[in-house]
């Protein structure tokens, strides 16, 4: 974990992307009637739970990213084909996600698609903060409605699942992370790559 020049920019850009796409997903779920907005918890009673959401998901996201992508990719990169590096990293992430989301084909597909964005962000930038920003942003969006995993009382908003499912509402779990992957792919050039910066500095010095 390195606080390289530009790490804040990487984290901020990714946070906005992750948070934004997940808020769009929740908004569409409200629109199609899959979710119903009930109200907002008393701010006085949820100050500490919401703080726990922000701190808990930051620590959880960072630890997961450091291990599943930072450590795994750095150990395997250059030793095996990059396709296998991606596959192994995403497979580990999917298995880890299974403990929280439960085992189902839908959750596996969702985790694989989401893992593509997280893995791409780290691999292309060499910055763990580009990866963690995405992870943290979408987790915060989730936490506002569902709280910490296993603690729905820490949510800021009160919602309920109506049970009204449509083909579109079911597809949202795939369409949103897939759209985010394409968006990250298109915007990755705006991130700071610390490895490239070091190489460029070395070339400049040698000249």
């Amino acid at each position: 974990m390195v606080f390289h020049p530009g790490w804040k920019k990487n984290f901020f850009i990714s946070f906005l992307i992750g948070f934004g796409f997940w808020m769009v997903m929740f908004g569409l779920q409200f629109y199609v009637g899959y979710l119903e907005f009930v109200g907002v918890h008393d701010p006085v009673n949820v100050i500490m739970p919401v703080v726990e959401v922000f701190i808990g998901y930051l620590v959880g996201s960072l630890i997961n990213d450091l291990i599943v992508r930072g450590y795994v990719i750095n150990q395997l990169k250059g030793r095996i084909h990059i396709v296998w590096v991606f596959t192994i990293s995403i497979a580990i992430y999917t298995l880890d996600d299974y403990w929280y989301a439960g085992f189902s084909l839908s959750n596996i597909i969702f985790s694989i698609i989401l893992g593509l964005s997280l893995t791409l962000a780290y691999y292309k930038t060499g910055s763990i903060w580009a990866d963690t920003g995405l992870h943290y942003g979408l987790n915060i969006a989730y936490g506002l409605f569902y709280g910490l995993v296993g603690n729905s009382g820490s949510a800021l908003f009160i919602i309920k699942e109506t049970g009204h499912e449509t083909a579109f509402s079911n597809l949202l779990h795939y369409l949103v992370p897939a759209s985010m992957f394409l968006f990250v792919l298109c915007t990755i050039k705006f991130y700071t790559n610390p490895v490239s910066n070091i190489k460029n500095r070395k070339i400049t010095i040698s000249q």
Side-chain angles (χ1 to χ4, degrees), residues 6-15 189-192:
W7 74 271
K8 292 180 181 178
K9 182 182 78 171
N10 287 356
F11 182 82
F12 184 69
I13 292 175
S14 282
F15 179 87
K189 60 186 177 182
F190 297 108
Y191 285 80
T192 296

Side-chain angles (χ1 to χ4, degrees), residues 174-194:
Y174 312 129
L175 292 176
V176 171
S179 299
M180 188 174 77
F181 171 73
L182 295 175
F183 190 83
V184 171
L185 190 64
C186 293
T187 58
I188 204 74
K189 60 186 177 182
F190 297 108
Y191 285 80
T192 296
N193 189 318

Side-chain angles (χ1 to χ4, degrees), residues 139-154:
N139 275 338
I140 288 299
Y142 174 88
L144 292 178
F145 296 99
Y146 287 98
L148 284 172
V149 174
N151 182 13
S152 59
S154 58

Side-chain angles (χ1 to χ4, degrees), residues 97-118:
D97 220 28
Y98 148 73
W99 295 103
Y100 301 104
F103 182 78
S104 70
L105 180 60
S106 175
N107 286 337
I108 289 175
I109 296 173
F110 169 81
S111 296
I112 290 173
I113 300 174
L114 176 56
L116 283 170
S117 293
L118 300 175

Side-chain angles (χ1 to χ4, degrees), residues 88-104:
I88 293 171
S89 178
I90 292 172
I92 295 173
Y93 172 71
T94 302
L95 290 172
D96 178 69
D97 220 28
Y98 148 73
W99 295 103
Y100 301 104
F103 182 78
S104 70

Side-chain angles (χ1 to χ4, degrees), residues 59-202:
V59 174
S61 299
L62 184 57
I63 290 175
N64 180 274
D65 299 329
L66 286 170
I67 297 172
V68 175
R69 279 159 289 278
Y71 179 77
V72 171
I73 291 176
N74 277 298
Q75 289 297 311
L76 299 178
K77 188 171 60 176
R79 299 184 180 183
I80 59 176
H81 196 279
I82 189 58
V83 172
W84 286 110
V85 176
F86 266 63
T87 301
I88 293 171
S89 178
I90 292 172
I92 295 173
Y93 172 71
T94 302
L95 290 172
D96 178 69
D97 220 28
Y98 148 73
W99 295 103
Y100 301 104
F103 182 78
S104 70
L105 180 60
S106 175
N107 286 337
I108 289 175
I109 296 173
F110 169 81
S111 296
I112 290 173
I113 300 174
L114 176 56
L116 283 170
S117 293
L118 300 175
T119 307
L120 176 75
Y122 176 71
Y123 176 73
K124 282 292 188 179
T125 64
S127 169
I128 199 68
W129 303 108
D131 171 19
T132 299
L134 282 174
H135 207 168
Y136 184 51
L138 62 91
N139 275 338
I140 288 299
Y142 174 88
L144 292 178
F145 296 99
Y146 287 98
L148 284 172
V149 174
N151 182 13
S152 59
S154 58
L156 177 60
F157 302 115
I158 306 171
I159 62 171
K160 71 175 182 178
E161 297 180 358
T162 63
H164 176 67
E165 295 186 5
T166 63
F168 181 68
S169 66
N170 290 330
L171 283 174
L172 281 175
H173 292 91
Y174 312 129
L175 292 176
V176 171
S179 299
M180 188 174 77
F181 171 73
L182 295 175
F183 190 83
V184 171
L185 190 64
C186 293
T187 58
I188 204 74
K189 60 186 177 182
F190 297 108
Y191 285 80
T192 296
N193 189 318
V195 177
S196 296
N197 287 346
I198 291 173
K199 289 181 179 178
N200 290 335
R201 284 199 294 269
K202 286 182 178 179

